[in-house]
Amino acid sequence: MTRGLLAREFGRQAFGENPAGYHSSRPNYPEWVYATLCSRCGLHRNAAVFEIGAGTGTATHRLLELGAHTLTAIEPDQRLADFLRANNPDKALKVFVAPFEDAALEERSFDLGVSATSFHWLYEETALVKIASLLRPGGWWAAIWNVFGDDSRPDPFHEATKELLKAPASPSAGEKGIPFALDCVARLAALKRTGAFDVMESRASQWPLVLDTGQTVALYATYSNVNSRLDREAVLTEIGRIARDSFRDRVVRNMTTILYIARRAN
């Protein structure tokens, strides 16, 4: 960690202390995301899929429901991997406990690769090269994020807590004030630089996440920048106080769900 920034390697063990709490506190992805994966990206009954940073399986469960014939989940945290297996007792699921960079996967053997609010923890350029090598010609890559906050809309709770949470920052914060996931120009440019994809698109939707005080504290307890702090418990206590006293037990966070899809060239 330098200059108040969390190292990307930190994310590989940042979320495993309380897998059940993480799973229950993080919101699901809108159904339009999965509809797009089915209609555009080859998610069907015979599809071979890999998922990077599967975590507790927020996306994994739905990918299995929608028919992934095999789903290879790559998760570096043993605690999260154990939770993932226990909650998805599906023969189609295979879990590799390793960082994506170290996972030995067969090249040109997958129809679809997915990451769900995890790709910012990887080194983008080298990760995309490996992703492209794993996809069959015509296969698809899909990177999904649920982004908490949106500067284009009023966000009173963020304003009330931003000094409390000012440092350190995760790679999800991005550069020049633009969250990593919402910097469409940069993300699409990185895909183009690989020279491996012939279709590259992004889609997004905005929606409100409404929380009571307990839900707010539980959500913030899953944030990497909170979990990295020595004063974590004091920070969470103050988050709860602000939610209860200043927001009368009703916090609204502006959410943006964004999906990038790219097709492997023949």
Side-chain angles (χ1 to χ4, degrees):
M1 189 189 311
T2 59
R3 296 185 182 181
L5 297 177
L6 294 174
R8 282 179 169 81
E9 290 76 11
F10 175 81
R12 296 170 184 176
Q13 299 294 324
F15 306 102
E17 182 177 345
N18 181 8
Y22 183 98
H23 192 69
S24 64
S25 300
R26 289 279 177 143
N28 291 319
Y29 298 96
E31 196 58 26
W32 68 261
V33 169
Y34 301 107
T36 302
L37 297 184
C38 291
S39 65
R40 292 289 311 279
C41 302
L43 178 58
H44 51 68
R45 290 291 171 185
N46 296 314
V49 181
F50 69 89
E51 184 185 0
I52 301 171
T56 61
T58 301
T60 312
H61 182 73
R62 196 76 183 101
L63 295 173
L64 290 167
E65 281 186 333
L66 291 168
H69 178 65
T70 58
L71 176 50
T72 302
I74 305 100
E75 172 49 55
D77 190 313
Q78 182 70 61
R79 299 163 296 180
L80 297 180
D82 290 344
F83 184 94
L84 179 67
R85 288 192 185 102
N87 281 268
N88 295 279
D90 191 313
K91 293 180 180 179
L93 178 64
K94 182 176 183 180
V95 182
F96 278 86
V97 184
F100 177 63
E101 298 91 334
D102 299 337
L105 303 173
E106 185 178 352
E107 294 188 353
R108 298 169 70 92
S109 61
F110 293 94
D111 302 296
L112 172 64
V114 176
S115 76
T117 314
S118 64
F119 188 69
H120 53 275
W121 290 108
L122 300 179
Y123 291 94
E124 184 172 39
E125 301 290 337
T126 53
L128 286 175
V129 170
K130 182 170 183 176
I131 286 162
S133 75
L134 298 177
L135 294 171
R136 297 183 177 119
W140 288 83
W141 164 241
I144 313 157
W145 279 270
N146 275 337
V147 180
F148 298 87
D150 175 2
D151 288 343
S152 71
R153 293 175 281 166
D155 195 336
F157 192 76
H158 174 67
E159 292 300 316
T161 57
K162 66 181 181 181
E163 288 300 314
L164 183 64
L165 301 172
K166 184 164 58 174
S170 129
S172 64
E175 299 177 351
K176 300 178 181 178
I178 305 174
F180 183 92
L182 301 185
D183 192 345
C184 294
V185 172
R187 302 290 73 77
L188 293 172
L191 287 164
K192 187 174 182 180
R193 283 195 298 273
T194 67
F197 299 99
D198 60 5
V199 175
M200 292 156 279
E201 303 173 6
S202 66
R203 305 178 182 186
S205 66
Q206 298 175 331
W207 50 282
L209 179 65
V210 182
L211 306 166
D212 63 25
T213 297
Q215 291 168 330
T216 302
V217 173
L219 174 64
Y220 279 71
T222 71
Y223 285 10
S224 59
N225 61 328
V226 172
N227 287 330
S228 71
R229 292 178 55 156
L230 296 177
D231 61 347
R232 176 182 184 272
E233 294 307 317
V235 169
L236 292 173
T237 296
E238 182 63 6
I239 289 288
R241 186 198 66 78
I242 294 170
R244 182 185 63 251
D245 296 348
S246 300
F247 288 82
R248 298 182 180 181
D249 202 36
R250 187 179 187 273
V251 169
V252 180
R253 293 306 319 273
N254 296 327
M255 300 296 298
T256 300
T257 298
I258 190 160
L259 168 66
Y260 296 88
I261 60 174
R263 186 177 66 187
R264 182 71 167 92
N266 293 322

